[in-house]
Amino acid sequence: MSDTTETAREAKAYQQLGRLKATLREREARLAELERRLAALETSTAVQFGRLVAGAARNPKRGRRLPKDLYRLWRRRNAPVPASGPPAGGGVQPDRVDRPENRLLVAGPCDGLIIAGVLSPATAALLAGHAKVVPLYPHDAAIVLGSADVDLLVVDAAAGEPGGPWAYLGVPGMYDRDRALHEIREIAAARSLPRVLWGRTPPATLAALTWDATATVPGRLAELLASMRLPGGAGGRPPTGNSARLAGAAR
């Protein structure tokens, strides 16, 4: 039990390290952007015009040169200004921090299929009979999915029913749920984990997202992993005999 606790602490520490490095890179990018904007502002026509007028007001002798200076400034008003500093990018990508191989958040390894799921209680109970289920909750979903050794991400269309931890998921305006779901979808894509939408009648807000597959029976999950044919299996885990049992459940 102590080993599991220590492993969980290490995983959280690596997750926090990655976030801190990403935050530092974002601050540096913002600082570079502010320096670029300040340099552009310093060379802008409006600022130079104000400086010329203010200088002429403070020193009457410079007032005699003001018309010539203003004319010269007017002629240079459309001259291109060289950009200083790096151009603005499309956002800062979080750093990926290498973790040790003993990163499982469970007491022992599993030989079968492991599913990370945003699930309703009924779907979780159904899948638990065919695979190892790692439940995800809004407050720690990103940490768990980023650290646990899983085969795929399953999002249940019924997870947003009232009373559950993901209550009102898919309901417009529930930004905290949408943000948590978006974050784990990005993590799953970065880890090459299949993103599966579970259920026959998903809300329109969930159905409109990009999914690798949809499923309504456990056997569909095993078929999805078999069809991917990735070296080492999905998520870096080798295919197991449990996939055959899952495929049989679909028939």
Side-chain angles (χ1 to χ4, degrees):
M1 189 65 179
S2 59
D3 294 341
T4 304
T5 304
E6 185 66 23
T7 301
R9 290 178 179 175
E10 291 180 3
K12 291 183 179 179
Y14 277 96
Q15 187 77 14
Q16 292 176 356
L17 177 60
R19 290 182 177 178
L20 289 175
K21 292 178 67 176
T23 301
L24 178 59
R25 290 183 56 197
E26 184 179 0
R27 297 292 172 82
E28 292 176 348
R30 290 181 179 178
L31 179 59
E33 175 66 13
L34 290 176
E35 291 177 349
R36 187 185 68 83
R37 293 184 179 183
L38 179 60
L41 181 63
E42 290 287 339
T43 58
S44 66
T45 303
V47 172
Q48 295 184 42
F49 174 82
R51 288 176 177 174
L52 290 175
V53 174
R58 288 194 301 266
N59 187 355
K61 293 182 179 180
R62 297 179 57 182
R64 287 176 289 182
R65 302 197 309 268
L66 182 60
K68 184 183 298 184
D69 293 338
L70 292 179
Y71 176 74
R72 187 181 300 111
L73 178 63
W74 177 81
R75 294 192 61 180
R76 297 199 309 262
R77 70 190 187 283
N78 293 325
V81 179
S84 59
V92 178
Q93 297 296 327
D95 288 353
R96 296 189 61 82
V97 181
D98 293 332
R99 297 186 296 270
E101 291 300 323
N102 59 342
R103 65 186 185 278
L104 292 178
L105 297 182
V106 293
C110 178
D111 295 332
L113 187 66
I114 303 180
I115 299 172
V118 177
L119 307 172
S120 64
T123 303
L126 173 63
L127 295 179
H130 303 275
K132 174 67 178 179
V133 177
V134 179
L136 302 178
Y137 302 101
H139 67 281
D140 65 351
I143 296 177
V144 174
L145 185 60
S147 304
D149 187 13
V150 298
D151 292 306
L152 71 168
L153 170 66
V154 177
V155 178
D156 185 8
E161 295 178 351
W166 289 91
Y168 306 108
L169 174 67
V171 176
M174 299 303 294
Y175 303 110
D176 56 339
R177 301 291 190 264
D178 294 340
R179 183 167 54 249
L181 178 62
H182 173 73
E183 189 171 3
I184 61 176
R185 280 171 48 84
E186 291 294 318
I187 294 174
R191 294 186 56 187
S192 298
L193 299 176
R195 298 176 296 185
V196 182
L197 179 61
W198 182 279
R200 299 185 182 278
T201 57
T205 51
L206 294 181
L209 300 177
T210 302
W211 303 96
D212 297 305
T214 58
T216 56
V217 293
R220 170 62 176 151
L221 302 179
E223 294 175 356
L224 172 63
L225 292 182
S227 64
M228 291 185 64
R229 295 175 181 159
L230 292 178
R237 300 181 68 252
T240 64
N242 197 44
S243 299
R245 295 195 299 272
L246 275 173
R251 297 181 176 87

